[in-house]
């Protein structure tokens, strides 16, 4: 173990559990380093645990060797999961159990619509994370079509309005009925949907705090609703600003963001800290010093106390 393994030695036992959940669709880049660092600092500032989960559920997007590369990069940056990383591909049975629970409760239904049919049936559709707001065509039956996906039934009226407090972004509200519609938990291609996997995984790991990029703010109401349907606790949420390129687009592995040079970890960490508006940490000359200052700065900003 290197001396930068644990930046809060002797910390008291804490209920706090955070996580970083990269999709292995490419190497760690400046954007994913920001999410990793923010979740790590929040966990350490609370004297809590920090876990890594490899979100390799989306088979077609997974790049061979990317997960190992991300874990190796994190280690070079001085961030190591407090437990062995979890891989979503090993957890299909748990996702199946959750879906069965929802089937039993009558909260989901099979859907036979293709993307084109959904688009055609909407006069004013818009894209939300590549998902079209679903008009509910198969709510009352498949109309003779074969089942393709499973959807969670979203209630009408006030029950569909999800409100939550984001620790960075403030008060949030989303009307799932008008803005999202009944959403997919098992995809037509047989893959488990991100929304189901993330909710089951966070609950099973005992995650108390989700810290991630603001691009996922839009998924949070769906996740909270799903937690309620499955009688799971809702963690606290904190969504950090995402890193954008010169065109204002979010840096992502899909836009071929360049991997960060982890040969110079301190420089990359300082840039990530600056993005999170942590100014003091930029003066550090060692990794150890960097984490000491960054954890303190973060803890003071968000009023973190060991819980
Ligand atoms: N796997 C997602 C990503 O890499 C993050 C999911 C999450 O933090 O909930 O964008």
């Amino acid at each position: 173990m290197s001396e930068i393994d644990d930046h809060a030695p002797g910390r008291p036992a804490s209920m706090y559990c955070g996580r970083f959940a990269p999709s292995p669709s490419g190497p760690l880049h400046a954007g994913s380093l920001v999410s990793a660092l923010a979740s790590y600092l929040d966990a350490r500032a609370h004297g809590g645990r920090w876990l890594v989960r490899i979100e390799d559920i989306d088979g077609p997007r997974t790049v061979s060797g990317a997960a190992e590369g991300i874990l190796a990069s994190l280690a070079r940056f001085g961030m190591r999961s407090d437990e062995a990383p979890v891989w979503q591909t090993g957890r299909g049975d748990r996702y199946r159990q959750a879906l069965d629970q929802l089937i039993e409760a009558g909260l989901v239904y099979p859907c036979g619509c293709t993307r084109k049919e959904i688009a055609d049936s909407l006069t004013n559709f818009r894209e939300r994370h590549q998902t079209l707001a679903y008009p509910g065509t198969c709510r009352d039956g498949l109309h003779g079509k074969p089942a393709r996906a499973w959807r969670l039934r979203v209630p009408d009226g006030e029950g569909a309005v999800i409100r939550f407090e984001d620790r960075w972004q403030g008060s949030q509200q989303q009307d799932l009925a008008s803005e999202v519609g009944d959403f997919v938990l098992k995809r037509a291609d047989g893959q488990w949907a991100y929304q189901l996997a993330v909710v089951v995984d966070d609950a099973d790991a005992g995650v108390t705090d989700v810290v991630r990029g603001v691009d996922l703010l839009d998924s949070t109401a769906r996740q909270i609703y799903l937690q309620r349907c499955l009688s799971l606790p809702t963690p606290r949420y904190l969504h950090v600003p995402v890193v954008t390129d010169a065109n204002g687009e979010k840096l992502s592995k899909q836009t071929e963001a360049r991997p960060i040079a982890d040969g110079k970890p301190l420089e990359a960490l300082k840039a990530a800290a600056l993005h999170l508006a942590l100014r003091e940490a930029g003066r550090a000359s060692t990794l150890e010093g960097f984490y000491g200052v960054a954890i303190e700065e973060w803890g003071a900003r968000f009023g973190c106390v060991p819980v």
Side-chain angles (χ1 to χ4, degrees):
M1 287 228 295
S2 90
E3 78 265 29
I4 53 160
D5 258 353
D6 183 344
H7 303 107
R11 61 183 186 274
S14 165
M15 290 296 292
Y16 181 107
C17 180
R19 66 6 171 230
F20 172 54
S23 304
S25 51
L28 200 70
H29 55 74
S32 37
L33 179 62
V34 166
S35 298
L37 179 64
S39 63
Y40 185 80
L41 295 179
D42 199 51
R44 292 301 183 243
H46 282 93
R49 284 182 304 143
W50 183 75
L51 310 177
V52 175
R53 177 171 71 236
I54 301 296
E55 298 212 321
D56 56 345
I57 197 83
D58 194 345
R61 280 179 52 211
T62 295
V63 172
S64 156
E68 293 76 5
I70 290 171
L71 293 171
S73 293
L74 289 172
R76 275 194 286 277
F77 285 109
M79 292 183 266
R80 281 187 183 77
S81 183
D82 289 327
E83 287 166 25
V86 165
W87 299 62
Q88 286 186 324
T89 38
R91 295 186 37 83
D93 287 353
R94 284 293 295 124
Y95 307 145
R96 179 80 246 172
Q97 278 170 12
L99 182 65
D100 286 346
Q101 186 182 331
L102 296 167
I103 293 173
E104 189 88 355
L107 294 170
V108 288
Y109 61 87
C111 172
C113 298
T114 60
R115 273 169 177 263
K116 180 161 188 325
E117 282 167 338
I118 297 168
D120 288 350
S121 66
L122 292 162
T123 43
N124 184 20
F125 77 82
R126 55 196 168 120
E127 285 211 64
R128 303 191 66 83
H129 279 238
Q130 286 113 43
T131 309
L132 304 173
Y134 182 64
T137 320
C138 294
R139 269 191 162 196
D140 305 313
L142 285 161
H143 308 285
K145 290 184 286 192
R148 291 165 48 83
W150 281 93
R151 286 183 187 272
L152 183 70
R153 198 183 289 271
V154 165
D156 297 317
E158 186 54 24
V161 181
I162 305 293
R163 296 182 180 86
F164 63 99
E165 196 60 30
D166 187 273
R167 293 172 54 216
W168 186 305
Q169 310 290 335
S171 297
Q172 304 294 317
Q173 159 167 338
Q174 190 178 50
D175 180 350
L176 289 175
S178 64
E179 297 182 49
V180 179
D182 299 342
F183 55 97
V184 170
L185 300 184
K186 189 158 203 272
R187 293 170 12 184
D189 62 3
Q191 310 268 339
W192 296 105
Y194 157 69
Q195 309 292 1
L196 178 70
V198 78
V199 162
V200 172
D201 290 344
D202 282 341
D204 282 1
V207 167
T208 59
D209 285 77
V210 171
V211 176
R212 59 187 177 190
V214 76
D215 55 313
L216 290 163
L217 187 62
D218 186 51
S219 283
T220 307
R222 269 172 275 186
Q223 292 168 16
I224 292 173
Y225 182 65
L226 188 48
Q227 286 150 7
R228 291 178 188 167
C229 292
L230 288 165
S231 305
L232 297 173
T234 291
R236 294 192 301 171
Y237 288 95
L238 187 158
H239 288 86
V240 298
V242 292
V243 179
T244 50
D245 63 17
N247 303 321
E249 299 273 331
K250 181 205 163 207
L251 278 195
S252 74
K253 293 151 210 158
Q254 285 70 49
T255 56
E256 294 185 6
R258 275 182 296 125
I260 17 172
D262 46 2
K264 290 187 180 165
L266 188 57
E267 272 177 34
L269 283 169
K270 284 182 180 178
L274 199 59
H275 182 80
L276 293 167
L278 300 172
R279 301 190 199 292
E280 298 299 319
R283 300 207 191 111
S285 53
T286 62
L287 277 190
E288 193 65 13
F290 169 83
Y291 280 111
V293 176
I295 291 167
E296 213 174 290
E297 243 188 311
W298 180 280
R301 161 122 56 97
F302 292 104
C304 306
V305 282
V307 285

